[in-house]
Amino acid sequence: MANDPYKVLGVKKGASAEEIRSAYRKLAKKHHPDLNPGNKQAEESFKAISGAYDLLGDAEKRAKYDRGEIDASGTERPQAQGWRQYAETGPGERYSYSANGAGGADFEDLFANIFTQRPRGPAKGHDRHYSLDVSFLEAVSGGTRRITLPDGGTLDVKIPPGTEERDILRLRGKGDAGVRGGPAGDALIEIHVAPHKFYHRIGQNVHMEVPISLKEAVLGAKVTIPTPAGEVVMTVRPGTESGTEMRLRGRGVPAHGKHAAGDLHVKLNVMVGPVDEKLKIFLEGWEQPGFNPREGLK
């Protein structure tokens, strides 16, 4: 018999969906087969954890389990209602008979309830829930990742461009086998996007900061910068001030679904860098008549 899924995940019966999800993610990372190669105990634990989350992570299944309609493995419990009603009647009523049908159990009805129930039809297999960590660039531009299943098998997951944090990818037919000829369940994969060292995303746009030298800012220059789709050459105009933002159209999140391609917003930060004697001498004798950078503070 499967263990109580609440105990497997270490949560109380009244736990919220977020508490259940958080407990699952923590345990799944600890016992994942990829992090415990050759460890059969970790593999079995991961399988139990996945099974528990498959049940408790689905609101409908969780409700059925709490009502006792299914067991911890998701199998429906037999419902012999006619026999229960028969067993709960008084001793005298069990065998009494009434010509008008009142007072006492009717043996034909009783055994019809117990033995003539029609078999249930085909049923879809249970869905399986997984968690997958992807890089920022994989989420933005798309890619393919392979995950290891509790039974040791593998599953190739196609990450579409524009995937966001906590998106759920559904792989149809990759869950548990169907019952009595029914279709297989699905694999539901929750995506978690790792932060990037200099990109951050807002909607379909990508933002970044790029340092430029004092000479490049004063005289202007062409600088090569990275973008999610590869390097591009960007023109810095002469006299560019620190904090200037430039927009490169179509260089953000690629077009996908109903979304057009986003833009890349580049904030330029002027870096003075090492100062030599020539620059010091020049600046000491350099004047800008009428220019006060702190004019707005008055």
Side-chain angles (χ1 to χ4, degrees), residues 57-70:
D58 185 305
E60 183 178 350
K61 292 180 185 176
R62 181 183 178 184
K64 288 184 177 180
Y65 176 76
D66 290 344
R67 292 194 299 266
E69 296 176 9
I70 59 176

Side-chain angles (χ1 to χ4, degrees), residues 198-200 207-211 265-269:
F198 52 79
Y199 294 130
H200 70 276
H207 295 250
M208 67 181 298
E209 296 187 9
V210 172
H265 293 257
V266 180
K267 182 179 179 181
L268 300 175
N269 293 326

Side-chain angles (χ1 to χ4, degrees), residues 135-156:
S135 70
F136 180 92
L137 293 179
E138 285 176 318
V140 168
S141 301
T144 301
R145 291 286 299 275
R146 175 168 292 181
I147 62 175
T148 302
L149 306 180
D151 61 3
T154 59
L155 195 61
D156 289 330

